[in-house]
């Protein structure tokens, strides 16, 4: 905030009103510029917040996608391991039966 005029002492109402109107008129452009700057800052801040929210949502979606892909990969590995174990078990079973027959 800036002091744009100073009026001291007792003054008549008409003089005070004229002086205030003159100060307002003299500073109207600066006030309009300050208001426009504030609106621009507010708009930029709002846009940044919206972008941050969108980024966070996208990041969460990407993390969820990675998590699901990892779970799927782990599930497939587990299935493959179970299949290998099943084959080994069947081979061992055949070998045991083969020894028993001999």
């Amino acid at each position: 905030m800036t002091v744009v005029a100073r009026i001291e002492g007792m003054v008549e109402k008409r003089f005070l009103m004229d002086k205030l109107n003159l100060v307002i008129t003299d500073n109207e452009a600066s006030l309009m510029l300050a208001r426009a700057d504030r609106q621009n800052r507010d708009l930029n801040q709002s846009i940044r917040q919206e972008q941050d929210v969108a980024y966070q949502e996208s990041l969460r979606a990407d993390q969820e996608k990675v998590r699901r892909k990892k779970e799927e990969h782990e599930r497939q590995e587990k299935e493959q391991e179970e299949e290998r174990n099943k084959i080994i078990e069947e081979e061992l079973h055949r070998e045991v039966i083969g020894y028993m027959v001999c």
Side-chain angles (χ1 to χ4, degrees):
M1 193 167 272
T2 304
V3 176
V4 292
R6 188 177 302 254
I7 302 171
E8 296 180 5
M10 298 290 291
V11 294
E12 291 189 23
K13 180 172 117 176
R14 187 76 199 139
F15 174 79
L16 178 61
M17 292 303 295
D18 289 344
K19 182 70 173 178
L20 290 175
N21 284 329
L22 180 63
V23 169
I24 290 170
T25 302
D26 289 346
N27 292 285
E28 190 169 359
S30 296
L31 289 172
M32 287 175 38
L33 182 59
R35 286 182 190 122
D37 285 345
R38 181 178 300 141
Q39 287 175 340
N40 193 25
R41 278 193 315 272
D42 291 347
L43 178 61
N44 286 336
Q45 182 179 5
S46 176
I47 290 171
R48 274 194 303 277
Q49 287 174 339
E50 289 174 11
Q51 289 172 337
D52 287 347
V53 167
Y55 172 78
Q56 291 299 325
E57 289 174 359
S58 177
L59 180 61
R60 277 191 291 276
D62 289 347
Q63 290 170 338
E64 179 64 19
K65 184 178 177 182
V66 167
R67 184 190 65 77
R68 280 183 288 196
K69 188 174 182 179
K70 181 181 176 187
E71 286 178 355
E72 177 63 20
H73 180 70
E74 289 172 352
R75 185 189 63 75
Q76 289 176 351
E77 283 184 343
K78 184 178 178 184
E79 286 178 359
Q80 290 171 354
E81 181 68 23
E82 288 173 355
E83 186 63 30
R84 282 192 295 269
N85 288 340
K86 183 179 176 183
I87 291 171
I88 291 170
E89 215 175 280
E90 289 173 355
E91 288 175 359
L92 286 174
H93 183 68
R94 274 187 248 135
E95 285 179 18
V96 169
I97 291 177
Y99 288 128
M100 295 176 123
V101 172
C102 293

